[in-house]
Amino acid sequence: MKNSADLSVDELCINTIRTLSIDAVQKANSGHPGLPLGAAPMAYVLWTQFLKHNPSNPNWFDRDRFVLSAGHGSMLLYSLLHLTGYDLPLEQIKNFRQWASSTPGHPERGVTPGVEVTTGPLGQGFANGVGMAIAEAYLSERYNRPDFKVIDHYTYGIVSDGDLMEGITSEAASLAGHLGLGKLIYLYDNNHITLSAETSLTFSENCAGRFEAYGWHVQSVEDGNDLDAVTQAIHQAKEESTRPSLILIKTHIGFGSPHKQDTFEAHGSPLGEEEVKLTKENLSWPQEPPFYIPQEALKHFRQAVETGKIAEAEWEAAFDAYEKEYPQLAQELYELMGNELLDNWDKNIPIFPADAKGISTRVADGKVLNAIAGELPSIIGGSADLDPSTFTTLIGAGSFEDPKKNLGKIQGAVEGGWGYSGRNIAFGIREHAMGAICNGLSAHGALIPFCATFLTFSDYMRPSIRLAALMKLQVVFIFTHDSIALGEDGPTHQSVEHVAALRAIPNLNVIRPCDANETAAAWKIIIETRDHPTALVLTRQNVPTLDRNKFASTDGLKQGAYILADAPNGKPDLILMATGSEVGLIVATRDKLLEKGIQARIVSMPCLELFDAQTREYRDSVLSPLVTRRLSVEAGISQGWHKYVGDKGGIISIDHFGASAPGPVVMKEFGFTVENVCKQALALMEPGAKRG
């Protein structure tokens, strides 16, 4: 048997990745050693021969993006980051999965330098990478010129059997193939094992044939330890410029482990101290010390530091030359890369005149979105085949499509043509992938993505929305048809619990504007808030556009809730609060109550998250502790409102499913009328009245 001194540099480097990974998992007594042991060779080839990156500056804009979609194998990535010179000291490798370490159990964006996206839920990273490839294609088409390729990078990823099983992957792969994203290359760790069994128990499809049918370029490598074969396959994938690439690489999970290789026991549990010793023996590796890194291997890996600095310096020189030739384009791109807002980006946001009949907030949203997109080329997105209903088409901005194809155009976008310069993405009926792709667009940088569908379908997107919040990405999730008021489509399409469910996600701003001007104000907050995704919840039906000469301005939306109109005498008997279309109800109820001598304060509460973030002083100024009679009105479940109305307050809600009928009829039958709101408010004013 060889000893470590007899190993080639390649073998030394690969086994360094392997042993660092198993030592970290064993020390933590938690983790997934199998993937790093099996996939180390492909990762080594990719990171040392192909990946364009600068460990000294993980945020260099024209770097290649790498996504470990199989996030359970995180120690593979952490080993690579440490070895190639990122700011990830060995001490952090030793603190894998421990409190306050920068090596969490699954990769987390913003926690570990060099981690592009938070992965773990399988399939998410796969779809994120599609978004990154779309971002590169759009930016390169918009800003590159024949002699200047200032945007020119690839998106690589390692995906697993579990990734390919998930439905989100099917959605994302189908779209990527349709779009011909030739700079997207995935290495499939085809080890035939999942956490609990061999894949043959559940997964017998022809993956190569499946991806060929999606329009991908597909290759197979029979031995994942054959470095030359892996190298050649990646070269061929890069030569294929018109299709995304999947390379199926047969590997052995837990490679080198004498008792656990090729078994599910290697997947999600430490090998055990004795098995670690035997594995190191099989790999011709010294038993002591743990976390051993041969200097020859480290020297080889650390070449990435100098190579990365040179690559970035060459790019900066090219960008300087580009700036001299195309100063306006360069300035625009430079500001986008720095996440800066272009001057006067909000100059065309409309101010809507007062109108008792009003317009729906979905229509208002479309007008505002187009006004902003006209000034911000970073705005890009689309809907799940619902543009005519969500009103989210960027008029004249073109359809993002494979430029080799002459396809049907998105309604209203045709003036801008089609190709990778188009800003309207036709996601198709693929809500889950749509959300995750937008996460990838945002994580890539320089772009503010949006996606739209009906609110009831937010359930299909929830994992992606949650990860956007976890990553603190600026993604705009636009949800129309926001309540039972949508009418005839019935309870399958009538959102009841969805707003409350979205509000339960930390770091997500959920904004439900009451009229057109609150919708405009919401967009100002959305664009200026860089570290939160937003769920913008909009009506299908028309709502009155309030006369802001009679009511408070929309400036209060910045605080999440504000006094829309106070009691005429400044001493309210009760507080009426609502969001969205129900604000019109409480406005009308206020006048009815005045006729009965009851003074009511009207509070619009479009964003509870922003309101909760305010000082106690501000919150008390809106919801005065001295006014204990309070009534909330929202056409959704009551969950979440109790803390605002208190023990003596009331809630008008719908804690059951809706019904199929015209919207006004449904609203009336379920108590969302001025008469019922007035009745409930009067009941609260009775002595001893408490919330039922």
Side-chain angles (χ1 to χ4, degrees):
M1 180 180 290
K2 295 180 181 179
N3 61 49
S4 60
D6 298 326
L7 299 177
S8 68
V9 172
D10 289 338
E11 289 176 303
L12 271 179
C13 290
I14 292 167
N15 287 344
T16 301
I17 295 170
R18 286 169 166 158
T19 56
L20 274 182
S21 298
I22 62 174
D23 279 343
V25 171
Q26 190 60 42
K27 184 174 185 294
N29 196 28
S30 174
H32 299 72
L35 184 145
L37 284 169
M42 72 173 80
Y44 167 72
V45 169
L46 178 61
W47 275 65
T48 58
Q49 295 188 45
F50 295 96
L51 194 70
K52 181 178 68 172
H53 63 124
N54 182 4
S56 301
N57 181 14
N59 297 318
W60 169 34
F61 195 80
D62 202 41
R63 68 192 182 278
D64 289 338
R65 271 60 171 180
F66 173 77
V67 177
L68 181 64
S69 189
H72 56 274
S74 58
M75 265 313 307
L76 173 72
L77 179 54
Y78 298 150
S79 296
L80 289 163
L81 291 170
H82 169 72
L83 292 168
T84 56
Y86 284 79
D87 184 18
L88 190 67
L90 185 60
E91 191 62 29
Q92 293 297 328
I93 302 295
K94 294 178 180 179
N95 286 329
F96 178 54
R97 290 187 164 220
Q98 303 308 302
W99 177 260
S101 80
S102 52
T103 49
H106 291 80
E108 294 184 34
R109 176 183 173 88
V111 173
T112 314
V115 169
E116 300 283 0
V117 286
T118 299
T119 56
L122 292 172
Q124 287 285 334
F126 187 109
N128 293 162
V130 174
M132 292 176 175
I134 290 173
E136 195 277 342
Y138 166 70
L139 292 169
S140 63
E141 185 67 21
R142 182 178 179 90
Y143 293 105
N144 287 354
R145 291 298 179 266
D147 296 328
F148 297 97
K149 288 190 173 183
V150 290
I151 303 295
D152 185 17
H153 50 265
Y154 284 80
T155 300
Y156 296 101
I158 291 179
V159 303
S160 66
D161 293 297
D163 283 302
L164 297 197
M165 289 185 197
E166 290 283 3
I168 186 175
T169 296
S170 298
E171 294 181 18
S174 175
L175 184 60
H178 167 77
L179 294 174
L181 299 174
K183 297 175 89 170
L184 177 65
I185 299 173
Y186 284 156
L187 312 182
Y188 168 24
D189 178 31
N190 187 14
N191 62 42
H192 304 292
I193 299 291
T194 58
L195 185 144
S196 65
E198 295 183 9
T199 55
S200 59
L201 183 68
T202 58
F203 194 54
S204 54
E205 65 192 42
N206 179 348
C207 286
R210 169 185 161 197
F211 274 78
E212 286 173 352
Y214 285 145
W216 287 55
H217 173 241
V218 178
Q219 302 173 76
S220 294
V221 173
E222 293 302 312
D223 180 4
N225 291 314
D226 185 340
L227 304 188
D228 290 338
V230 173
T231 301
Q232 183 61 30
I234 298 175
H235 274 303
Q236 291 183 17
K238 292 189 71 173
E239 290 172 2
E240 172 54 67
S241 62
T242 63
R243 292 178 290 171
S245 288
L246 181 73
I247 305 172
L248 296 86
I249 304 176
K250 290 186 178 179
T251 62
H252 297 278
I253 192 169
F255 180 84
S257 170
H259 300 111
K260 297 186 178 182
Q261 177 178 312
D262 297 324
T263 74
F264 65 84
E265 292 180 83
H267 176 93
S269 300
L271 295 179
E273 291 184 6
E274 185 60 30
E275 193 72 9
V276 168
K277 291 179 183 178
L278 294 174
T279 302
K280 287 182 177 180
E281 184 177 319
N282 266 357
L283 298 175
S284 304
W285 207 253
Q287 298 293 337
E288 296 292 339
F291 302 97
Y292 170 62
I293 301 175
Q295 284 302 306
E296 188 176 1
L298 186 62
K299 180 180 178 181
H300 185 68
F301 275 117
R302 289 288 165 90
Q303 292 176 12
V305 175
E306 187 61 27
T307 301
K309 288 179 179 178
I310 292 170
E312 183 171 359
E314 291 174 347
W315 176 80
E316 287 177 344
F319 195 92
D320 289 343
Y322 171 75
E323 187 175 22
K324 291 176 182 177
E325 284 289 321
Y326 305 99
Q328 289 184 323
L329 275 179
Q331 180 63 25
E332 181 179 289
L333 177 56
Y334 182 79
E335 291 178 358
L336 294 187
M337 290 190 300
N339 286 326
E340 299 177 27
L341 289 175
L342 305 183
D343 291 340
N344 300 315
W345 66 270
D346 58 351
K347 67 181 181 181
N348 293 322
I349 293 179
I351 298 173
F352 296 88
D355 184 353
K357 293 183 178 179
I359 60 174
S360 67
T361 52
R362 62 169 175 160
V363 170
D365 174 75
K367 296 178 184 296
V368 176
L369 175 59
N370 270 275
I372 295 172
E375 302 300 320
L376 283 182
S378 55
I379 299 287
I380 184 171
S383 80
D385 195 49
L386 290 169
D387 300 85
S389 292
T390 59
F391 291 87
T392 46
T393 299
L394 302 181
I395 305 300
S399 298
F400 184 92
E401 277 292 353
D402 185 340
K404 303 183 299 300
K405 302 173 182 176
N406 185 0
L407 302 169
K409 312 304 183 298
I410 296 172
Q411 294 184 29
V414 65
E415 295 90 342
W418 69 92
Y420 290 155
S421 63
R423 295 164 65 190
N424 289 285
I425 303 173
F427 289 104
I429 306 166
R430 304 182 178 101
E431 286 89 354
H432 197 181
M434 176 174 72
I437 288 168
C438 282
N439 288 350
L441 285 163
S442 180
H444 176 278
L447 300 177
I448 303 175
F450 69 90
C451 55
T453 188
F454 296 169
L455 179 58
T456 191
F457 302 140
S458 63
D459 285 342
Y460 284 164
M461 302 173 63
R462 188 173 182 82
S464 300
I465 298 170
R466 183 177 186 272
L467 284 171
L470 183 57
M471 288 188 269
K472 300 182 178 180
L473 296 176
Q474 188 178 25
V475 181
V476 190
F477 299 100
I478 299 172
F479 298 118
T480 67
H481 297 59
D482 69 346
S483 73
I484 57 173
L486 75 87
E488 291 88 345
D489 278 334
T492 60
H493 284 54
Q494 291 171 358
S495 298
V496 174
E497 75 278 21
H498 298 82
V499 172
L502 290 170
R503 287 175 180 151
I505 299 175
N507 206 56
L508 175 69
N509 286 338
V510 182
I511 305 179
R512 189 170 182 244
C514 75
D515 70 352
N517 287 311
E518 268 198 0
T519 305
W523 269 102
K524 291 183 180 180
I525 294 168
I526 288 167
I527 297 298
E528 292 172 350
T529 303
R530 294 298 200 177
D531 60 350
H532 283 64
T534 301
L536 186 57
V537 181
L538 306 168
T539 68
R540 176 180 186 265
Q541 77 278 18
N542 289 351
V543 292
T545 304
L546 299 176
D547 185 345
R548 295 293 167 166
N549 293 316
K550 297 179 180 178
F551 297 95
S553 77
T554 58
D555 290 345
L557 199 152
K558 295 176 183 177
Q559 285 77 43
Y562 62 102
I563 299 172
L564 188 62
D566 210 349
N569 66 1
K571 299 179 180 180
D573 299 310
L574 83 160
I575 296 173
L576 300 177
M577 63 189 86
T579 74
S581 53
E582 289 74 70
V583 170
L585 279 179
I586 64 171
V587 166
T589 300
R590 174 175 176 265
D591 296 335
K592 290 287 187 182
L593 291 174
L594 273 176
E595 294 174 4
K596 299 180 182 296
I598 296 174
Q599 304 265 340
R601 171 179 291 179
I602 306 299
V603 175
S604 178
M605 301 185 70
C607 185
L608 304 186
E609 295 77 22
L610 289 175
F611 183 62
D612 288 346
Q614 304 307 308
T615 64
R616 168 63 68 180
E617 181 181 15
Y618 178 79
R619 284 179 282 142
D620 285 350
S621 73
V622 176
L623 301 179
S624 171
L626 300 177
V627 184
T628 59
R629 270 33 179 193
R630 303 175 182 181
L631 181 64
S632 70
V633 185
E634 187 172 61
I637 63 172
S638 58
Q639 181 176 312
W641 282 104
H642 301 83
K643 70 176 180 178
Y644 301 109
V645 301
D647 292 337
K648 295 184 178 180
I651 299 173
I652 296 178
S653 60
I654 175 167
D655 289 295
H656 52 79
F657 295 118
S660 177
V665 174
V666 177
M667 291 289 276
K668 178 182 178 182
E669 292 295 331
F670 290 129
F672 293 93
T673 63
V674 172
E675 291 73 22
N676 187 51
V677 176
C678 188
K679 176 183 176 182
Q680 299 300 323
L682 290 171
L684 285 178
M685 299 306 298
E686 295 176 1
K690 290 186 178 180
R691 181 185 52 200

